[in-house]
Amino acid sequence: MPAVTFSPDDRYNAFITTLDQAETGPGRLSGIAVAVKDNISTRGIRTTCASRILDGYIPPYDAHVVTLLRQEGAAIVGKTNMDEFGMGTTTENSAYGPTLNPSDPSRVPGGSSGGSAAAVASGMVRMALGTDTGGSIRCPASFCGIVGLKPTYGRVSRYGLIAYANSLEQIGPMAQNVEDVSLLMEVLSTHDPRDSTSISCPYRHTPDPTVTGLKIGVPEEFFGEGVDPRVAAVVWEAISRLEGEGAEIVTCRMPSMVFALAAYYVTCTSEASSNLARFDGVRYGPPADTKRPWHESFQERRREGFGTEVRRRIMLGTFALSSGYYGKYYAKAQAARQQVRNDFVRLFRTVDVIAGPTMPTVAFRLGEKTDPLSMYLSDILTVPANLAGVPAISVPCGTSEGLPVGLQVMGQWFRDEKVIDVAAAYEQGVSA
Ligand code: GLN
C-alpha cells in the first residue's frame, strides 16, 4: 500500500507532531487519516502529553488502541494538541500553545482533546482518538461541532494511555458523523488482558436510527442554574425533534448533581497526584543533573516541567489524600460518587437513555476564563457519566450565537450501541 502523505496547513495548531508519510495497509480503516491524542503512546513517535516534563520522550511501544488502528490499515498522521496531561477544558493549558476553534479562531476548541476535535472539524483528518476523564471528548466535540463518544468504562483498553485519573477515563472515537464514530468504536473495543479494567464486550453494530417508543429521561438539573438559556433552548428543540420521531420524553431529577462536580475534582486530583509521581526527572525527559542531591533535582525538574494547572492539581490531590484529611475529602468524594451511580441506576429503571446539553455554554473566547473555579464549573454536565462509568455521546444539534451546540446522550452500562442509535436518529432526522 502506498503511504498516505500528510502536509496540512495546521492554522489551528491542532497538532503537536505530524508525520508527512504515514503507513497504511488493508483493513476497515485502510487509507483513512486518523489523528491520535498526544497522551496515547505511539512507538517511535514522540508522545508529550503537551507537557515539558516529557520533552524528548519517545515510547518504545504502541498503546493497544494504536495497535488496533494499525491492524485495520489506518494511517496515523499525527499526535494532537491537548491540555497538559488532560487537565483542562479549553486546550489552553498546553506547553505547545493553544489550539484554535475552526468555527471561530478567536475561540477555544474545548478540551482537553481540543487538537483532535479541531483536526476533525477542519477536515484535516476524518477521524481522531480522544480521551475523556471528565468530558474531554464530549466538550471539544460540542464546541467544534463534531461527534464524540466516551465509551462505557472498560470497553476500550487503556494500555499505553498515560494516566491522569484512571478510575474515570476512557479512550474514545471522534469524527464528523455518527457512522464514523461507530466504525471507529468497532475497531477500538476489543478485550485486552494488559488493562485489568478491560472487559470482553465487543462492539459490533450498525447504527439504527429508530427511536419509536424509546424513553428519554431529561433531568431538570441539566437545564438548571449556570446553563445558558440560549443553549438550553437549542437542546430542548433537539430533544423535541426526537419526540417528533416517536420517542417519549420523561422529565426527571438527578439530585446527586449538587455534589457531582466536587466529587469529580477531589477524585481526579487525588489520582493525578499519585499517577504523576513517576515524573521525577530521572525516568523521562532531559537527563537530570546527577551531581546534585536527588531531591533538589527532583523538585526543580517538576517545578519547571509541569505547568501551573498541573502543579495546582497535584497539590490539591496530595492534600486530599493526606493523613487527617483523607476521610474528610477523598472518602467523602467516593461516597458522593456512589450517589451519582445510584441516580443512574434508579433512572435507568424507567428510561432508556438520558439527554441534555453537553456543555452549559458555547465555546469561550481564548483567554476569557482565567479563574480555575469557573473553568471547573463548566464540566458540570459531563462529569456524571465518568463518575458512574456510563457511555455518553455528544452530537451537534444546532448553533447559538453562530457557534456549535452539542446534544449529550447518556446510556446504560455497556449499551454504547443505544447512545449511538439515538445520536444517529437525531443526525438523520435533521438531514432528512
Ligand atoms: N475538564 C476536565 C478536567 O479538567 C476534564 C478533563 C478530561 O476529561 N481529561 O479534568
Side-chain angles (χ1 to χ4, degrees), residues 296-430:
E296 275 181 25
S297 67
F298 173 87
Q299 279 174 359
E300 188 186 290
R301 190 54 51 77
R302 285 171 70 87
R303 193 167 42 238
E304 287 172 2
F306 289 135
T308 313
E309 183 60 24
V310 173
R311 275 182 282 139
R312 176 183 295 123
R313 293 198 191 192
I314 292 172
M315 286 191 278
L316 280 171
T318 307
F319 178 74
L321 289 177
S322 56
S323 149
Y325 292 102
Y326 180 91
K328 209 167 155 193
Y329 297 107
Y330 187 77
K332 254 203 181 143
Q334 300 323 301
R337 187 172 180 178
Q338 191 58 46
Q339 297 291 316
V340 176
R341 283 201 200 101
N342 292 348
D343 271 355
F344 277 105
V345 169
R346 181 179 49 79
L347 288 174
F348 286 135
R349 285 200 194 109
T350 48
V351 300
D352 299 297
V353 295
I354 295 168
T358 305
M359 296 299 292
T361 63
V362 293
F364 331 128
R365 289 187 190 288
L366 282 155
E368 176 183 330
K369 276 205 199 277
T370 46
D371 162 41
L373 193 59
S374 83
M375 188 76 96
Y376 298 168
L377 280 168
S378 52
D379 299 331
I380 179 70
L381 306 177
T382 49
V383 298
N386 302 79
L387 288 164
V390 297
I393 198 166
S394 181
V395 62
C397 73
T399 57
S400 166
E401 305 162 72
L403 293 161
V405 172
L407 165 69
Q408 181 176 207
V409 181
M410 290 163 275
Q412 305 188 36
W413 291 267
F414 300 102
R415 303 271 172 86
D416 305 65
E417 292 79 356
K418 190 51 86 186
V419 301
I420 289 270
D421 288 348
V422 178
Y426 178 76
E427 190 184 67
Q428 293 190 16
V430 175

Side-chain angles (χ1 to χ4, degrees), residues 3-251:
V4 167
T5 46
F6 188 67
S7 50
D9 162 20
D10 189 10
R11 66 180 74 172
Y12 306 114
N13 197 28
F15 287 92
I16 291 177
T17 304
T18 53
L19 300 155
D20 44 359
Q21 291 285 319
E23 280 169 46
T24 174
R28 281 180 288 179
L29 302 178
S30 185
I32 297 179
V34 180
V36 173
K37 189 176 178 180
D38 212 20
N39 56 352
I40 299 174
S41 303
T42 40
R43 184 160 55 89
I45 305 167
R46 74 169 174 163
T47 298
T48 69
C49 278
S51 181
R52 290 271 168 245
I53 207 141
L54 278 168
D55 255 357
Y57 171 61
I58 298 180
Y61 68 104
D62 275 332
H64 186 62
V65 290
V66 170
T67 305
L68 294 170
L69 290 178
R70 294 197 200 282
Q71 278 170 2
E72 289 296 342
I76 296 173
V77 295
K79 304 295 298 288
T80 55
N81 203 359
M82 55 184 282
D83 287 297
E84 186 176 1
F85 286 101
M87 299 179 191
T89 308
T90 61
T91 314
E92 291 170 299
N93 299 336
S94 165
Y96 296 83
T99 297
L100 314 181
N101 189 326
S103 329
D104 173 354
S106 71
R107 308 253 171 182
V108 303
S112 63
S113 316
S116 289
V120 170
S122 61
M124 287 191 278
V125 293
R126 188 166 135 193
M127 301 173 180
L129 296 188
T131 64
D132 190 311
T133 311
S136 280
I137 287 177
R138 290 161 287 155
C139 158
S142 172
F143 280 6
C144 292
I146 65 160
V147 186
L149 169 72
K150 181 200 85 73
T152 301
Y153 188 78
R155 215 156 176 191
V156 177
S157 163
R158 293 166 308 164
Y159 175 78
L161 166 66
I162 300 174
Y164 154 26
N166 42 283
S167 81
L168 298 158
E169 61 208 359
Q170 275 292 286
I171 297 171
M174 304 172 82
Q176 284 198 0
N177 54 57
V178 176
E179 199 185 332
D180 275 353
V181 161
S182 181
L183 169 63
L184 196 46
M185 184 61 188
E186 282 202 347
V187 172
L188 299 177
S189 70
T190 64
H191 174 63
D192 176 18
R194 295 172 301 181
D195 173 354
S196 62
T197 62
S198 167
I199 286 169
S200 179
C201 179
Y203 173 98
R204 296 278 169 274
H205 186 61
T206 306
D208 171 8
T210 28
V211 289
T212 324
L214 186 90
K215 288 205 171 79
I216 304 181
V218 180
E220 279 173 28
E221 290 79 0
F222 274 68
F223 290 87
E225 201 192 323
V227 179
D228 184 323
R230 293 166 295 185
V231 168
V234 171
V235 174
W236 258 120
E237 171 77 29
I239 294 173
S240 314
R241 236 175 219 280
L242 289 168
E243 190 176 26
E245 288 172 33
E248 187 188 330
I249 309 302
V250 184
T251 51

